[in-house]
Amino acid sequence: MDAFVTAMLSRSDALPHDPLFQAGRQVAEAEERREQQMRILSGLAQGAPARVYAEHVRSEINRTIVLSRMHQELIESLLAE
């Protein structure tokens, strides 16, 4: 992309290319997936194989959220320097 095109981008167009914005969006999307998974879990019988698998998926989503937050904090600290 040449300098003229870059200069013409508005702030709203630039946001999706901002690493901190992207990291925050990843966290929000993962939190939304966790909420969806919780709704799925609430409809499954305790001890059922489907529930066991759904709980595993939820734990992986939780792990993703932790990693995404760490990524976001790393970007914030790098930008603060």
Side-chain angles (χ1 to χ4, degrees), residues 1-51:
M1 198 179 300
D2 65 29
F4 177 74
V5 173
T6 302
M8 296 304 292
L9 286 174
S10 70
R11 180 69 179 140
S12 64
D13 290 335
L15 275 177
H17 304 290
D18 179 350
L20 188 55
F21 175 80
Q22 289 177 351
R25 187 175 63 195
Q26 289 172 346
V27 170
E29 289 172 356
E31 289 173 341
E32 185 177 324
R33 285 192 299 276
R34 179 177 53 193
E35 292 304 314
Q36 292 169 349
Q37 193 66 17
M38 294 300 292
R39 287 191 294 275
I40 291 168
L41 273 166
S42 70
L44 298 173
Q46 193 70 26
R51 183 175 181 103

Side-chain angles (χ1 to χ4, degrees), residues 17-80:
H17 304 290
D18 179 350
L20 188 55
F21 175 80
Q22 289 177 351
R25 187 175 63 195
Q26 289 172 346
V27 170
E29 289 172 356
E31 289 173 341
E32 185 177 324
R33 285 192 299 276
R34 179 177 53 193
E35 292 304 314
Q36 292 169 349
Q37 193 66 17
M38 294 300 292
R39 287 191 294 275
I40 291 168
L41 273 166
S42 70
L44 298 173
Q46 193 70 26
R51 183 175 181 103
V52 172
Y53 181 73
E55 288 171 343
H56 171 72
V57 170
R58 183 192 58 197
S59 72
E60 291 300 315
I61 293 170
N62 285 336
R63 191 168 82 84
T64 299
I65 291 170
V66 169
L67 292 173
S68 294
R69 285 184 179 148
M70 289 171 57
H71 182 238
Q72 183 179 22
E73 290 172 7
L74 175 62
I75 292 170
E76 288 172 347
S77 70
L78 289 172
L79 291 175

